[in-house]
Amino acid sequence: MIRVTTSTPNPITDSTELRTQMGAVRLSVHWLGTSKALPASQQAEAAATFGANRDFFSARKKLIDTRHPAYRKVTSIRNRIVSLWKGMTVPYPDPGLRLIRRDRIQIFEIEFQQLLQELSQAVLQLEREFGELKSIARERLGDLFNEEDYPSHLDHLFRIDAEYPNVEPPNYLQRLNPELYEEQSRRIEARFEEALELAEESFLQEFQQLVTRLSERLSGEADGKPKVFRDSALTNLTEFLMRFRQLNIRSNAQLEELIDEAERVTAGLSPESLRSERTMRETVREQLQQVGEVLEDQLELRPRRQIVRSRSREEVVSDAT
């Protein structure tokens, strides 16, 4: 769970503020492989069974039962770590990098380290039960089982690292080659403009999906009864609204207005009240449906807006060079 501070972070209204108030963070996941390609001899044997050409055939074997509770525990913690990383960051154009508010790095690190401790304990438990997992695999794989496919220890095979690379051009470059430094600075400036677009796009898409999901769950009946309404339909939306405020990126005025409206509509709501009060359900559904329609229009207009911004950015870079 992401901790929410009571203080409001400084707003980010353009790519320059995004660049000065955010830093890059990369999450590297190193994980035990749970399947393996069959050796050439077994591949050929399997291909022959189906009369298949060996060059057009491939087969893999599953090494462990990934549904085993001990393995599912470590994967659930991995998923929580990835969710923490994505929930406190916005996209950056470079693969594997995301942007985090610099004033939120300490909060992220506290949560991250706590989850790493949980992961370490879960891996220890998995190692205790790994013999059982291998026995199950030996029974199910038959002649395909190979003891050498399995590590003797697991502690180094489940690792998640968080790094904070510097995406700015190095200061020494300014002394050695000022022209190259300026060129790299303009390139980074363009990357942050693109990052701002990606952040807006990400907000719009997630917001639209959550609003649509909730309004759909509140509409109509199935088999003469109200549709099944799970708590997550509401809590996922309210958590998104809270996360948006914590990131405090205010580069899109219309999105900001829609966020305000969604907060007004959902203020004080509980899953129980939406289940029990039909009139409230209908009122909330109608208001959220209106928000969703505007969001859909924004997403449809998005490609055109991106083209205009991209051309403008190219002109700035071209003029500067």
Side-chain angles (χ1 to χ4, degrees):
M1 179 65 68
I2 299 172
R3 289 197 182 98
V4 178
T5 58
T6 55
S7 60
T8 302
N10 294 328
I12 294 173
T13 59
D14 56 33
S15 60
T16 300
E17 291 177 346
L18 188 75
R19 186 175 179 179
T20 57
Q21 295 190 44
M22 286 195 147
V25 56
R26 176 190 294 116
L27 203 66
S28 302
V29 179
H30 311 271
W31 215 250
L32 172 71
T34 59
S35 67
K36 185 176 182 179
L38 297 182
S41 60
Q42 292 177 335
Q43 293 266 12
E45 183 179 345
T49 302
F50 296 98
N53 187 307
R54 175 65 186 86
D55 294 334
F56 288 82
F57 181 88
S58 65
R60 301 181 66 85
K61 59 181 176 181
K62 193 173 182 179
L63 297 177
I64 62 173
D65 181 4
T66 54
R67 297 170 299 177
H68 191 281
Y71 183 79
R72 292 180 67 178
K73 179 66 174 179
V74 295
T75 55
S76 70
I77 297 172
R78 178 192 62 190
N79 294 341
R80 287 165 60 197
I81 292 175
V82 173
S83 295
L84 172 71
W85 175 58
K86 289 186 175 180
M88 295 187 67
T89 58
V90 295
Y92 187 73
D94 291 356
L97 287 184
R98 294 179 69 86
L99 297 177
I100 184 171
R101 293 192 67 105
R102 296 177 185 179
D103 55 11
R104 301 277 289 169
I105 290 177
Q106 185 176 5
I107 297 173
F108 171 78
E109 273 294 324
I110 291 172
E111 297 284 347
F112 178 60
Q113 293 300 326
Q114 289 175 345
L115 287 170
L116 286 185
Q117 291 179 11
E118 289 188 39
L119 178 62
S120 178
Q121 293 301 312
V123 171
L124 285 176
Q125 183 60 35
L126 177 61
E127 185 146 29
R128 295 187 191 102
E129 302 187 38
F130 203 61
E132 177 187 342
L133 282 163
K134 286 169 60 177
S135 296
I136 294 172
R138 181 181 288 107
E139 178 183 344
R140 295 179 179 177
L141 287 173
D143 292 340
L144 296 180
F145 181 83
N146 184 348
E147 182 72 31
E148 295 180 358
D149 292 334
Y150 298 85
S152 56
H153 299 286
L154 301 180
D155 56 344
H156 63 292
L157 296 176
F158 295 90
R159 193 176 80 250
I160 302 179
D161 301 315
E163 304 169 287
Y164 302 89
N166 183 12
V167 297
E168 297 290 344
N171 291 331
Y172 70 80
L173 191 60
Q174 189 172 21
R175 298 190 303 271
L176 295 177
N177 192 328
E179 291 184 0
L180 180 57
Y181 178 84
E182 289 301 321
E183 178 185 331
Q184 291 298 307
S185 294
R186 289 192 295 270
R187 184 183 68 83
I188 295 300
E189 181 181 357
R191 301 297 268 175
F192 273 90
E193 287 189 19
E194 186 177 353
L196 189 63
E197 293 174 356
L198 290 172
E200 290 181 8
E201 184 82 16
S202 176
F203 289 144
L204 285 168
Q205 289 180 348
E206 185 176 0
F207 191 18
Q208 195 267 344
Q209 290 169 0
L210 292 171
V211 166
T212 300
R213 173 64 177 171
L214 179 53
S215 59
E216 189 274 333
R217 287 289 89 192
L218 295 175
S219 65
E221 297 180 340
D223 298 327
K225 299 179 181 179
K227 292 181 180 178
V228 175
F229 176 78
R230 303 189 187 282
D231 292 6
S232 59
L234 175 61
T235 57
N236 287 347
L237 175 58
T238 55
E239 287 175 3
F240 166 81
L241 298 174
M242 189 180 302
R243 191 168 76 250
F244 180 86
R245 292 304 186 195
Q246 283 296 317
L247 289 166
N248 207 14
I249 296 178
R250 299 183 176 182
S251 56
N252 186 319
Q254 191 167 18
L255 173 60
E256 187 85 13
E257 292 174 1
L258 294 171
I259 291 286
D260 290 341
E261 177 64 12
E263 287 178 331
R264 185 191 66 78
V265 172
T266 58
L269 289 181
S270 68
E272 292 75 17
S273 62
L274 288 174
R275 289 191 188 96
S276 60
E277 300 181 30
R278 182 183 294 269
T279 301
M280 178 184 292
R281 284 170 64 100
E282 183 60 23
T283 300
V284 171
R285 184 197 65 78
E286 290 178 355
Q287 293 173 334
L288 289 180
Q289 191 171 35
Q290 292 174 3
V291 172
E293 289 171 355
V294 179
L295 284 168
E296 189 173 348
D297 290 341
Q298 281 241 311
L299 285 168
E300 289 179 356
L301 292 172
R302 193 73 187 168
R304 170 62 183 166
R305 188 179 297 116
Q306 286 182 327
I307 291 171
V308 171
R309 284 187 177 181
S310 297
R311 287 177 178 170
S312 175
R313 182 168 65 245
E314 289 169 1
E315 290 170 0
V316 170
V317 174
S318 176
D319 291 342
T321 56

